Amino acid sequence: MNSIRLGLESISALLAALGDPQKRMGAVVHVAGTNGKGSVCALIQSALSHTHSNLKVARFSSPHLLHPSDSTTINGVAIAEETRQDFLHQISRTGLKATSFEIETAVAFAWFAVEGVDASVVEVGLGGRLDATNVFADALCIVTLLGLDHTEFLGDSIEAIAREKAGILHQESRGCVLGAQSFEKAERVVEEWAQTMNCVLFHVNSVVASPDQAGSDPTQFQRVKGRLFDQEVHINLPLLGHHQRDNLAIALATLSAFYTVYTKFPKPADPALLIAGIESTKWRGRLEFISIPGLPQTSQRRILADGAHNSQGAVALRQFIDSFDPTASNNRKILWVFACKQGAKQRTDALVSTLFRKGDSVWVTSFETPEGMPWVTSALGEEVWECVEGVFGSGSVNVRMFDDGVASVVAALKEEKVLEADDGTLVVFCGSLYLMASLHRFLEKK
């Protein structure tokens, strides 16, 4: 079944048919939220697997970037396609009907159980209470930044969304790490539900810019300081943007809580290994400067890619662009390469109004429908053009259409020598994580 369907009946039956692998996934960290949950998962897995080289640390995230196997890793290594197909055949033989996300969730959990993982970091797919990953009674739960997204499934108020996200907390949960929130009402809903579930809340300390910025490069990493095990630590955070400091703060609090609630894991006497793991984190498609073969050397650090696809993500992207080189931000020319998901005009309007400015150029393109998700399609260029015109008026933003995807955009960048002049023009690919997938797929072919 290829659709979005919330509920636990199908996934519970499917996991039962596979022998309930969710009960053999080691120490589970379950992460819900609107923004930042993927980054938090990546930071935690990288830190734990780097620190305990003899342990198997699994991670399940969604959506996948290039291939469904990307979502399912142990110590950063994706499930082999042959192995994935074996599990898919097992699931097919059960005769049970399930959505593609439920199937991929079952594949991941079954593989983790067979491999005997020591810990699993699991990202919620959509919401929390009725998400297919909500099958753990005693996980350490994390709630990242909450916002108004997927309202057609989760409710049209921040309180309703917060209730759905908080639904991963259970009576037996080992605790909850609640990140900083933009909406006080959301924070209050999660806190009240945690109290109802007798679930201890772990404090999150702020992460801020380090006073020691020697050798820092804002296009490669940000030098920050935070607290881990009640010690002040300084970290070269490879995930860019101020919002990633909040995600790191959650990850640091989670690591501290992890060793408190999962006592079988020896707490490192020195946090240096955990920090080294954090500094090794890879998370593609989020505020990354990329190089495209065939473009001139002057294009280095002038092509930015980010999967921001809702209003909070757009604010973070715009803040980063305006802050990483403040002396140039007022006069910088920006060429936006933009594609977004069809069927969410309100979200598209928010992206357009937050990101673009009068005088900018916007090249509207498309992304390929992701494997296993046929309901996800690009918005038509005309739809985006209408949004831009509606926000800025006719002719205020230069909009062009590129219907043949990333390849046609790159060809135009080369042919028109957009980045050959040393005028500081910044090219920004954004609007959807699925556009990031198309971009990286294109780069892998080169």
Side-chain angles (χ1 to χ4, degrees):
M1 183 183 297
N2 293 316
S3 63
I4 294 175
R5 182 189 63 201
L6 296 179
L8 300 178
E9 183 177 349
S10 293
I11 188 64
S12 297
L14 188 53
L15 292 174
L18 296 173
D20 285 321
Q22 77 278 11
K23 297 178 180 179
R24 304 189 306 280
M25 290 171 52
V28 175
V29 177
H30 198 194
V31 185
T34 303
N35 286 296
K37 57 186 185 291
S39 298
V40 169
C41 288
L43 288 163
I44 294 170
Q45 185 198 37
S46 186
L48 290 176
S49 59
H50 190 92
T51 303
H52 304 282
S53 58
N54 60 326
L55 298 184
K56 293 182 177 181
V57 183
R59 173 162 60 92
F60 178 62
S61 294
S62 61
H64 63 267
L65 188 65
L66 300 181
H67 187 273
S69 60
D70 298 342
S71 296
T72 305
T73 66
I74 296 177
N75 291 348
V77 179
I79 184 173
E81 182 57 22
E82 182 179 358
T83 302
R84 177 172 170 271
Q85 290 298 326
D86 287 342
F87 284 115
L88 288 174
H89 291 320
Q90 287 184 38
I91 290 170
S92 178
R93 287 196 295 270
T94 68
L96 296 170
K97 292 183 178 180
T99 66
S100 56
F101 181 71
E102 289 167 340
I103 290 170
E104 292 299 338
T105 300
V107 166
F109 292 1
W111 184 50
F112 297 160
V114 167
E115 289 294 317
V117 299
D118 301 283
S120 299
V121 184
V122 177
E123 178 185 354
V124 167
L126 180 63
R129 182 176 65 91
L130 297 175
D131 185 72
T133 65
N134 193 20
V135 292
F136 307 106
D138 61 348
L140 173 60
C141 300
I142 319 299
V143 179
T144 66
L145 181 65
L146 301 180
L148 290 166
D149 202 3
H150 300 297
T151 54
E152 67 273 30
F153 297 103
L154 306 179
D156 58 4
S157 70
I158 192 63
E159 297 96 328
I161 290 173
R163 282 191 288 272
E164 292 299 317
K165 306 286 186 180
I168 66 169
L169 303 181
H170 303 284
Q171 290 280 358
E172 297 82 13
S173 294
R174 294 177 183 252
C176 174
V177 178
L178 175 60
Q181 299 297 321
S182 301
F183 296 95
E184 184 179 341
K185 291 178 179 179
E187 184 174 15
R188 188 161 57 246
V189 166
V190 178
E191 289 175 343
E192 290 176 353
W193 183 247
Q195 186 176 15
T196 300
M197 292 291 103
N198 294 316
C199 185
V200 62
L201 282 169
F202 290 96
H203 180 67
V204 176
N205 293 296
S206 298
V207 167
V208 298
S210 172
D212 175 19
Q213 292 292 322
S216 64
D217 182 346
T219 68
Q220 300 297 313
F221 66 88
Q222 49 182 323
R223 182 74 172 163
V224 298
K225 68 174 181 178
R227 297 196 70 80
L228 178 61
F229 305 144
D230 291 325
Q231 302 176 42
E232 182 176 285
V233 292
H234 293 257
I235 298 171
N236 291 333
L237 178 62
L239 309 184
L240 304 180
H242 285 190
H243 63 294
Q244 293 291 4
R245 298 177 188 176
D246 292 334
N247 293 332
L248 175 60
I250 295 170
L252 292 176
T254 301
L255 291 169
S256 294
F258 181 87
Y259 291 100
T260 299
V261 302
Y262 291 118
T263 54
K264 70 175 183 179
F265 295 91
K267 176 182 172 182
D270 184 347
L273 283 175
L274 287 168
I275 292 171
I278 289 169
E279 293 181 342
S280 301
T281 303
K282 302 283 193 300
W283 196 227
R284 294 187 294 179
R286 282 78 171 176
L287 282 180
E288 59 174 343
F289 284 89
I290 63 170
S291 297
I292 295 179
L295 291 179
Q297 189 66 27
T298 53
S299 71
Q300 301 301 308
R301 301 186 185 181
R302 287 171 57 191
I303 305 175
L304 180 65
D306 185 70
H309 57 280
N310 56 35
S311 58
Q312 288 176 325
V315 168
L317 170 57
R318 186 72 226 191
Q319 286 178 341
F320 175 75
I321 290 172
D322 291 340
S323 66
F324 86 89
D325 185 5
T327 60
S329 61
N330 290 333
N331 301 313
R332 181 187 290 113
K333 296 179 181 178
I334 300 181
L335 190 162
W336 302 91
V337 180
F338 185 85
C340 62
K341 194 167 71 169
Q342 192 172 39
K345 184 181 184 302
Q346 186 176 3
R347 182 190 296 180
T348 305
D349 285 342
L351 291 171
V352 166
S353 61
T354 302
L355 293 172
F356 306 159
R357 300 288 185 269
K358 288 185 177 181
D360 286 351
S361 295
V362 178
W363 290 6
V364 181
T365 187
S366 60
F367 53 75
E368 298 99 336
T369 295
E371 182 178 344
M373 303 172 72
W375 63 90
V376 176
T377 55
S378 276
L380 298 175
E382 291 78 7
E383 295 173 341
V384 177
W385 178 82
E386 288 177 2
C387 286
V388 175
E389 295 280 288
V391 171
F392 293 100
S394 179
S396 297
V397 174
N398 178 26
V399 180
R400 291 173 58 184
M401 311 292 183
F402 291 82
D403 295 332
D404 293 330
V406 170
S408 61
V409 169
V410 173
L413 289 173
K414 294 177 181 178
E415 183 178 343
E416 299 178 23
K417 301 180 179 179
V418 172
L419 291 168
E420 288 196 9
D422 192 13
D423 61 359
T425 296
L426 184 68
V427 175
V428 184
F429 288 78
C430 68
S432 172
L433 283 170
Y434 305 115
L435 177 61
M436 299 303 100
S438 292
L439 176 59
H440 277 281
R441 198 172 287 114
F442 172 85
L443 293 175
E444 285 196 354
K445 293 177 181 177
K446 295 299 173 182

